[in-house]
Amino acid sequence: MRQPLRLNLFLESNLRVLRQTQPEVATWLEQEARQHKEGLATLQQAIHINAHGILDWRLPQGESLFQKTPPQDLYAPWLEAGPGPVDASIIVGVGLGYGLHTLLSKTPPSHRIIALEPHPAMLLTCLGQTDFGGVLQNGRLRLALPDGKHVSALLQHLWLQYEFGRIG
């Protein structure tokens, strides 16, 4: 018998840290979850284990995000940014979190990441799959609201990496 998917194991603990470190992001996510409860539940039903044996998201047209190419093949080139190390990264679209996990696990602790996921259901799903508490707490990972002013404010925190390092 196939085991049911265990989703959102880390969602509440990650939201708890977000309430402390980035209350505006936690508030946005919680408001979106309340306002679109039925839609979020429907979207989360799109999560499944694909033919590669990994967690995947079924798209409305029937295919899934990682049906053709496993995430490790997609995200490995992210670490090949060219000469010298990259000091910070900006991710637009976190998906289920595979790319985010790749960056966090393959870059030094000094590497800063700003992640923007405009779809609350996708971001909630990502936050439910991995314990990001430590990197949210220490500021290594910052989540951006889909709002230009918020993104701009987060980017200002990267000025040191921009002035003296490289952002990928």
Side-chain angles (χ1 to χ4, degrees):
M1 175 182 264
R2 189 174 197 162
Q3 293 289 327
L5 289 177
R6 296 184 61 196
L7 300 174
N8 299 324
L9 295 175
F10 301 101
L11 181 58
E12 193 50 47
S13 63
N14 283 329
L15 285 174
R16 192 170 27 258
V17 173
L18 275 174
R19 283 183 206 108
Q20 297 168 357
T21 60
Q22 291 189 269
E24 67 284 0
V25 174
T27 299
W28 175 72
L29 282 171
E30 290 165 343
Q31 287 174 346
E32 289 291 323
R34 277 193 302 277
Q35 288 177 358
H36 306 287
K37 194 172 192 173
E38 290 178 17
L40 289 173
T42 301
L43 288 172
Q44 291 217 335
Q45 289 176 0
I47 299 171
H48 66 285
I49 301 295
N50 71 12
H52 301 290
I54 60 170
L55 202 62
D56 205 342
W57 187 284
R58 191 172 318 286
L59 301 169
Q61 58 270 38
E63 292 185 356
S64 60
L65 287 176
F66 303 109
Q67 181 175 324
K68 295 181 180 170
T69 308
Q72 62 269 22
D73 293 347
L74 291 173
Y75 301 122
W78 284 14
L79 301 173
E80 301 166 4
V86 173
D87 300 307
S89 296
I90 300 167
I91 300 174
V92 178
V94 299
L96 295 174
Y98 291 116
L100 188 53
H101 184 269
T102 297
L103 282 175
L104 287 167
S105 63
K106 305 286 186 188
T107 56
S110 60
H111 187 93
R112 300 287 179 239
I113 300 168
I114 292 177
L116 167 64
E117 175 53 69
H119 305 292
M122 191 68 81
L123 183 54
L124 287 165
T125 302
C126 173
L127 291 171
Q129 306 318 307
T130 302
D131 180 4
F132 294 114
V135 293
L136 288 167
Q137 189 76 45
N138 70 19
R140 182 170 182 214
L141 172 61
R142 302 288 293 177
L143 300 178
L145 294 174
D147 170 79
K149 289 181 183 178
H150 188 258
V151 172
S152 179
L154 287 176
L155 292 175
Q156 287 177 9
H157 290 288
L158 291 179
W159 74 268
L160 197 61
Q161 279 94 347
Y162 178 74
E163 288 290 325
F164 302 104
R166 294 185 57 216
I167 297 176

